[in-house]
Amino acid sequence: MSSVNEFPPSPITTLTPELTDSLHKRTQAVLSYLVKTNSISTFFKDADILSDFRGALSANDGLETILADPERLFSTYHENVGLSAYENYLPFVSRLFEKPCQTSSVENLMAPGLPYFIAHSSGTSGGATKHFPKYRHPEHMSTSTSQTMQASNPVSKRGGKNCIAFSLGYRQVVTPINEEGDVGRQIPVCLMSSGTIRMYSEMTVERDPIYKTIRIPNNSSPLACSFIPNYKSFLFMHALFALQEPQVELINTMFSTIFRDMCRIIDEQWETLVQCIEAGTIPELESIENVRENLQTFLQPSPDRAKELRKIGKATDSPGWFTKIWPGLRTVVAISSGPFATVVPELRHYIGPDVVLQTLGINCSEAFLALAYDNRDPSLYKVVGSDDIIEFLPIDQPEESEYLTQTWNVEVGKKYEVILTTRDGFWRYRLGDVVEIVGFDPRDGQPIIHYLERRNVHIRLANEITTEKQLQDALASVSQSLGGVSEFCVSPDYRRSIPRYAFFVEPHNEYDSTAPRAPATLHTYLQQHNENYLKESTAGKIDKPSVHVLKQGTFSDFREWKIRATNSASGQIKVPPVVWDEVTRKWLEERVLQEF
């Protein structure tokens, strides 16, 4: 990843023979490592979806023989490993949650040894939570993790501080028991980000009481903040310690929506925060009892800093208020592309035009997919080619493994679903993310991509299918008339005889006099850009959308509500683009200020 002051070369559109050969050899090397390493796993030996692969390896003189011929191994893999989904792994992964969990049952389950942690999906869309065992790997197979961790908490050459708002909490701890009845390892079930930080820094669950007493020298917040389970309290305390520190240079919240929520807390609770800094006191906040004493240790009275902050005041009328609070603020690390781009105008109001809004990469619970390519364009990502096998399924081809395309064969401008074979024992796993190829890095040939959407996220009321990207683009056509939409979701609206799409929107500002025309504008846009929507609406099967304007702060409250409901840590809850479940829909309807 490039630093703020260094920019990468422009992507090229055609690979040279040398780059093609390099990509080919790199993929073969990674595949050889994965097959050799994970062939001892229970999943590799027993899973039905790998039976053809196992048979082909045996027919080709065995594993050791074929490992000596990388080209032959790749050919055998390509021809005999089909696409997989989470259902193929669930019978194996579920062994980790048996009561009691026996070490003999889960050791070498997906990869050698025991997992260091188990990543869980957010389950925001109402589906069942998925679990992904994550294992420690050698340094040469963990380059994306190392790069991401180094970029997420860099050491300033000027002595500046970082505000790192990451959670270290977990949903539960899995404790496999050996034949003697002893617990060999405590395995946290947590967010991918939480587990990655723990694994990279070798932070075991057993030592959590010690971590809660520590503040990393270049961080504004003590680690105790990262153990606060309540979302609003978590953000308040990170904001409090950041405000106390005038030398903050970087703020890292992972997602732009979380940073926006922190901005609003600073805005709305400014006087309370300044008073706490002046007196060195912590207010009564929910769910901080277990770390309150640890937090108090680091919050000493700072009357001079409080005086500085009062002199600055709530300068929210002009962009760049935060650069007055922190004159050295240079970078905000937060994913701000795709569905997270809508909050960027509001963020810019707080940080101004010169602070770099930087994305670490596309990091999902399953694997690290891509790293940010160019800080000037947060939508550009470079595919990681060193840790996992990443393949591409053209979205206009049958959903079968024989149509998979390799990194050196993808076409610029074409859209693909990402397929993963991972270090952690998943084989040709359908990630469901759709990307568009922008070009290739001229230095090593890796594809440069735009993230587009989730393949399986759409709304359908008749015989049309409207994708997440189409919904985003449609809303962009009316965003300004609705006050600048910062977040939204869509739900089916069956209150009339003809169904319609219900857009729930949270604006940054007041909507204007043209807002009542938004439903008609959305309807026209969808008709012009979705042939089947046009056909079904013309036939009277879909009516004009309804638009529901939510009160400001609704989606921040949604994140807090979902964290409570799912027992998840702060940091990964996202607003689902399409809401189907009745509970969430009713929750949103209770917060509607105006309907058009």
Side-chain angles (χ1 to χ4, degrees), residues 86-139:
Y86 186 71
E87 289 70 23
N88 299 114
Y89 303 91
L90 183 58
F92 294 85
V93 175
S94 61
R95 298 183 189 182
L96 289 160
F97 298 94
E98 292 175 349
K99 301 292 185 180
C101 174
Q102 302 290 341
T103 300
S104 58
S105 177
V106 298
E107 193 168 27
N108 304 330
L109 184 64
M110 308 298 300
L114 292 172
Y116 195 93
F117 69 98
I118 303 169
H120 68 76
S121 64
S122 62
T124 306
S125 302
T129 299
K130 298 176 182 178
H131 294 96
F132 302 92
K134 314 303 289 186
Y135 296 79
R136 182 183 288 280
H137 301 279
E139 187 174 346

Side-chain angles (χ1 to χ4, degrees), residues 34-66:
L34 296 183
V35 173
K36 181 178 182 179
T37 303
N38 292 343
S39 61
I40 71 167
S41 70
T42 303
F43 184 85
F44 186 93
K45 294 177 178 179
D46 296 345
D48 291 339
I49 63 167
L50 293 180
S51 60
D52 289 346
F53 188 41
R54 293 192 298 269
L57 292 174
S58 298
N60 281 277
D61 303 321
L63 180 60
E64 291 301 323
T65 300
I66 203 169

Side-chain angles (χ1 to χ4, degrees), residues 273-302:
L273 288 161
V274 174
Q275 288 175 0
C276 290
I277 290 169
E278 181 176 46
T281 57
I282 297 173
E284 293 299 324
L285 299 173
E286 187 174 347
S287 302
I288 68 168
E289 297 81 10
N290 291 335
V291 293
R292 186 183 188 92
E293 185 176 334
N294 305 109
L295 295 170
Q296 188 62 68
T297 300
F298 294 99
L299 189 69
Q300 300 302 312
S302 303

